[in-house]
Amino acid sequence: MNPIPVGVVMGSSSDWDTMQHAVQILSQFGVAHEARVVSAHRMPDDMFAYAEAAAARGLKAIIAGAGGAAHLPGMLAAKTVVPVLGVPVASKHLSGVDSLHSIVQMPKGVPVATFAIGPAGAANAALFAVAMLANHDEALRAKLQAFRAEQTEAARAMTLPPA
């Protein structure tokens, strides 16, 4: 496996509050990753270079945060065959709904997987990337199965207050 199979990118450092949840999950599973800002608006040449080089560098997935104008996941997907996992970042004006709509309305032929708005979406995008990688890595698959079993047991252990 390439030393860095997953890229986590965002349009600005303000998206880190959300995207750090993807990085935490990848770290928990021992999946090497990189995290960086590659703004579709402020540094489009860098963003295109990142997307165009992704497959050759061995990236297997790109988790892209979509804040504000929300163009990053779609623009990356237009320039690479590496799967792009879009995470809507909550904005101060529209609570991330604008970002969600931007990702889910990609034209036919430019696929972007879409996850929930905010930290849950970032964590789930990372878990999705882990699941993709686990198809070719038995040790990672075992870690993912153990994680899911722990979640199930935690849910079973929950008790509700008396009515």
Side-chain angles (χ1 to χ4, degrees):
M1 184 181 297
N2 178 32
I4 302 177
V6 180
V8 178
V9 296
M10 60 216 82
S12 72
S13 60
S14 64
D15 296 340
W16 178 246
D17 286 345
T18 295
M19 299 309 291
Q20 69 180 322
H21 297 276
V23 168
Q24 289 167 357
I25 292 289
L26 294 170
S27 296
Q28 179 180 343
F29 281 91
V31 173
H33 55 278
E34 60 188 19
R36 62 175 69 169
V37 171
V38 288
S39 173
H41 298 102
R42 294 183 186 99
M43 46 201 286
D45 294 336
D46 293 0
M47 185 229 17
F48 282 135
Y50 184 87
E52 290 168 346
R57 290 193 313 112
L59 288 180
K60 303 298 183 208
I62 299 170
I63 301 171
H71 291 56
L72 185 59
M75 296 298 288
L76 289 167
K79 297 296 279 183
T80 186
V81 295
V82 172
V84 176
L85 314 177
V87 177
V89 175
S91 59
K92 58 184 167 184
H93 298 294
L94 296 172
S95 303
V97 174
D98 54 335
S99 300
L100 176 68
H101 288 172
S102 177
I103 299 171
V104 299
Q105 295 184 72
M106 291 306 302
K108 180 179 178 181
V110 185
V112 177
T114 309
F115 294 86
I117 298 169
N124 283 338
L127 287 167
F128 193 88
V130 169
M132 288 172 34
L133 297 171
N135 283 321
H136 305 286
D137 184 329
E138 289 297 323
L140 190 55
R141 183 177 304 183
K143 287 181 184 179
L144 184 57
Q145 289 170 330
F147 176 83
R148 297 264 172 90
E150 288 172 17
Q151 285 185 311
T152 299
E153 288 309 311
R156 285 185 179 134
M158 288 183 197
T159 58
L160 298 175

